Amino acid sequence: MKSSLNRFQYLFQSTKGLTLVAISMVALVTAIWGTLSGPMVEWGVRDFVVDLLGMELHHWEREGRIIMLYHAIAMAILAIEVYFITSIVPMKKHQQVNINALATVGYLVAMIFGLWFAYFGHEYIFHGLFLVGQTLVFFSGVSLAAALWPWNKEYYLAANSDYAHTKSGLDLERTALFTMTVLTLISATWGAVAGSYWSNGHETFLAENLIRNPYKTGLEKAIIGHLHIMLSLVAVAITLIVGRWVDFKGILHKWSMYLMIFGSITLTFGALAVVWIPWAHTIIYFGSVGVMLAALLYVIYSWKKIIHERVTELGLEKPTFWQKFKAMLHDPLKFGSGWQMVFMNFTVSGIGIFMAIKLDKIFRVWPAREERITLTGHWHILAAIIATIIIMYYWDISGMKGKTRQWAGWTLIIASDIAFASATVFSMKRLFVTEYFEGPVVNWTMVLMDFGLGAILVMMAVFLGWRLFGLFKQEGLWKAEAANPELDVNRIHPAVPVEGVNVEEEIK
């Protein structure tokens, strides 16, 4: 009994345990609900899963089901980022406990009952619980914003601090996280208000289905703005989080934080202003430039640091270009977090800008289905890139080292990039091949996408299976993580072991 209680406390009281639970829940949902799409449909797997689990899939409810699925996964991703932030940013212990508890109960209730309502009949009590879960996650965000309040003098930085701050000592990184949190709350409210009009002048829709509609209602524009900015702010959050991971500081850190704050505010205003301002996309472009430049400064700093640390470790006083290049690739997890941000420009940002420039001359001439494929792939790739960065960070937190770190890290980078590049080629195929000759392009890109995404899913299955197996061992990794439950980048307060777990032996 005592042993089970220790494991429960580790899983639901420590940052590392909470993150493990949330990632496992997302992986479980991805594994089951992933069977409802191709190529599992063609292989007959979908019908088997639907019959086995008793799902009710009516084609006229497809949009509603997909929206519930997206929200269920998004709640868990937000919770993971909240766990990271409450661990790496100084705050009171009771604040961290309350914020994490609200986020945990919220995303679990939203995920379980939201999917139950959408895929297993329509018991409206479950829909109500789905809304309760989202509300709890929202109040977790409100509590997080209060805890991050940057003008609390207790958290001001010293004048000689290497981390970004103003002359008065205001911590700019904390300010950027606070800004991101408040903007996320505003954007969530934006979506909730529009959602409250469902069946009262507003109907369920997928944004990519409206691209050719000459007239869109204000509520439809509000939903489109909401979904775009929420994903963008999730990306902003993970960029700030991994900045702590590599100990981002100095002049690049300072410029990056100013750009991130400016970019986040401008981007959010532009995304929400699509409801009433025809030229809101111009505002979005300005905001995007600020966020992307902030990420670029992070990439420059992190790669330079990786090179310096490796070269110093090898004792190379005057390394050649090739030696520096090899040093940069030495740690695939830390290199990969920056590389995925760079790669995103080839598969997301670059494609988006090209589409905006050539919209009327090229994309609006294509059949609507082709433009829809491009837009759908565009934001799915961005979401998946964010997921790979979270996985890299979590593998590092789990102490992945040596050859396992090398194989897992490079497989994740190469497999995901093959999948994302293939998806991009597939979506843009009409630029270089006609419909009559597209067969080989479609076949090969589909195979490569399935290969890349399949490799990632297999790796995650092996990793989570190993973590699950460890939970049954008396001296498993869970015990060491319970002894050191917080992330190792909190600059002020030391980590506190999980209460009730015998950590003295571990510390020895």
Side-chain angles (χ1 to χ4, degrees):
M1 185 63 185
K2 177 65 175 175
S3 177
S4 299
L5 183 61
N6 283 342
R7 286 168 173 77
F8 181 83
Q9 288 174 325
Y10 156 70
L11 290 173
F12 291 98
Q13 290 188 10
S14 71
T15 295
K16 294 174 181 174
L18 287 166
T19 306
L20 175 60
V21 173
I23 288 179
S24 301
M25 291 298 293
V26 173
L28 183 64
V29 170
T30 304
I32 296 174
W33 271 261
T35 62
L36 304 183
S37 303
M40 298 297 177
V41 177
E42 292 81 358
W43 296 347
V45 177
R46 181 185 67 174
D47 294 339
F48 173 76
V49 172
V50 168
D51 291 339
L52 179 68
L53 300 180
M55 290 182 174
E56 297 180 16
L57 306 182
H58 302 298
H59 68 85
W60 58 86
E61 298 171 344
R62 179 174 179 272
E63 286 83 359
R65 285 197 305 271
I66 291 175
I67 290 171
M68 297 287 273
L69 176 61
Y70 287 159
H71 278 81
I73 294 176
M75 292 296 114
I77 298 300
L78 285 174
I80 291 170
E81 293 194 333
V82 167
Y83 300 148
F84 288 157
I85 293 170
T86 58
S87 183
I88 65 178
V89 180
M91 63 181 63
K92 300 290 187 295
K93 185 64 182 178
H94 74 272
Q95 290 177 318
Q96 181 190 25
V97 171
N98 292 338
I99 294 166
N100 288 350
L102 284 168
T104 303
V105 176
Y107 91 79
L108 285 174
V109 170
M111 176 180 283
I112 293 170
F113 292 103
L115 294 177
W116 202 339
F117 171 80
Y119 287 84
F120 301 95
H122 298 315
E123 176 55 67
Y124 275 82
I125 291 177
F126 297 155
H127 188 271
L129 290 170
F130 168 67
L131 297 178
V132 169
Q134 290 190 103
T135 305
L136 290 175
V137 174
F138 183 86
F139 277 104
S140 171
V142 174
S143 303
L144 178 64
L148 289 174
W149 180 249
W151 291 276
N152 186 340
K153 294 292 178 65
E154 181 181 352
Y155 302 122
Y156 271 38
L157 298 176
N160 60 351
S161 173
D162 292 328
Y163 303 103
H165 63 280
T166 64
K167 288 183 179 179
S168 64
L170 179 69
D171 186 340
L172 290 176
E173 188 179 76
R174 192 184 188 93
T175 307
L177 285 163
F178 170 79
T179 304
M180 177 276 302
T181 304
V182 172
L183 294 173
T184 302
L185 292 170
I186 294 172
S187 304
T189 305
W190 201 261
V193 170
S196 67
Y197 281 85
W198 243 274
S199 72
N200 186 21
H202 188 37
E203 295 182 356
T204 305
F205 69 96
L206 296 179
E208 54 267 29
N209 291 341
L210 301 185
I211 49 175
R212 298 284 175 94
N213 281 12
Y215 174 77
K216 300 180 183 64
T217 67
L219 291 171
E220 289 172 342
K221 291 178 181 177
I223 293 294
I224 293 170
H226 160 76
L227 65 92
H228 278 85
I229 192 57
M230 290 300 286
L231 183 58
S232 300
L233 290 171
V234 168
V236 167
I238 195 61
T239 305
L240 292 169
I241 290 167
V242 294
R244 280 292 182 104
W245 182 22
V246 300
D247 197 24
F248 195 10
K249 58 187 176 183
I251 188 63
L252 294 183
H253 187 226
K254 190 168 189 174
W255 278 106
S256 178
M257 292 305 106
Y258 277 124
L259 286 166
M260 191 64 92
I261 294 169
F262 164 78
S264 300
I265 295 172
T266 309
L267 184 59
T268 303
F269 176 73
L272 302 185
V274 295
V275 176
W276 66 83
I277 299 180
W279 45 273
H281 278 86
T282 304
I283 304 173
I284 293 173
Y285 295 148
F286 274 105
S288 301
V289 169
V291 171
M292 290 168 66
L293 283 176
L296 175 63
L297 295 179
Y298 160 79
V299 172
I300 293 171
Y301 177 88
S302 64
W303 287 0
K304 187 177 179 182
K305 185 179 181 186
I306 293 171
I307 294 170
H308 175 73
E309 289 179 347
R310 182 59 177 168
V311 165
T312 304
E313 182 183 338
L314 296 174
L316 301 173
E317 295 184 359
K318 294 183 178 179
T320 63
F321 173 81
W322 178 242
Q323 288 172 324
K324 289 182 178 179
F325 183 72
K326 288 175 62 179
M328 184 177 71
L329 303 180
H330 174 68
D331 185 346
L333 298 187
K334 289 191 174 178
F335 164 78
S337 68
W339 166 251
Q340 294 296 76
M341 294 182 194
V342 173
F343 190 75
M344 179 196 71
N345 290 290
F346 302 114
T347 54
V348 180
S349 308
I351 298 299
I353 294 170
F354 180 65
M355 283 191 71
I357 295 173
K358 298 291 185 181
L359 185 63
D360 292 328
K361 290 186 177 179
I362 297 180
F363 296 96
R364 285 292 150 87
V365 179
W366 287 0
R369 179 176 178 273
E370 299 296 336
E371 187 180 357
R372 185 182 183 280
I373 288 173
T374 306
L375 292 173
T376 307
H378 166 85
W379 79 267
H380 273 88
I381 292 172
L382 177 57
I385 284 177
I386 294 170
T388 61
I389 296 174
I390 291 176
I391 292 171
M392 289 173 187
Y393 187 33
Y394 185 67
W395 280 352
D396 184 73
I397 293 168
S398 299
M400 189 177 283
K401 299 182 186 301
K403 289 184 178 179
T404 305
R405 186 182 180 101
Q406 292 290 327
W407 276 100
W410 283 115
T411 303
L412 178 60
I413 293 171
I414 294 171
S416 63
D417 288 357
I418 286 175
F420 303 152
S422 301
T424 304
V425 171
F426 172 74
S427 66
M428 305 295 283
K429 60 185 178 299
R430 201 57 73 234
L431 285 177
F432 50 87
V433 64
T434 64
E435 186 173 359
Y436 187 77
F437 293 103
E438 71 175 18
V441 176
V442 171
N443 292 338
W444 274 106
T445 51
M446 285 294 172
V447 168
L448 292 173
M449 270 191 281
D450 292 339
F451 165 77
L453 297 177
I456 296 171
L457 290 175
V458 169
M459 273 199 309
M460 284 304 295
V462 172
F463 172 76
L464 293 173
W466 170 66
R467 292 305 311 262
L468 179 63
F469 178 72
L471 283 174
F472 292 101
K473 296 172 66 176
Q474 188 62 32
E475 300 300 326
L477 179 59
W478 72 272
K479 197 167 186 178
E481 291 190 344
N484 184 24
E486 303 300 335
L487 310 184
D488 300 324
V489 287
N490 192 326
R491 297 174 190 146
I492 296 180
H493 299 305
V496 179
V498 175
E499 187 178 353
V501 176
N502 182 8
V503 299
E504 294 182 0
E505 189 176 322
E506 294 296 330
I507 294 173
K508 288 176 182 178

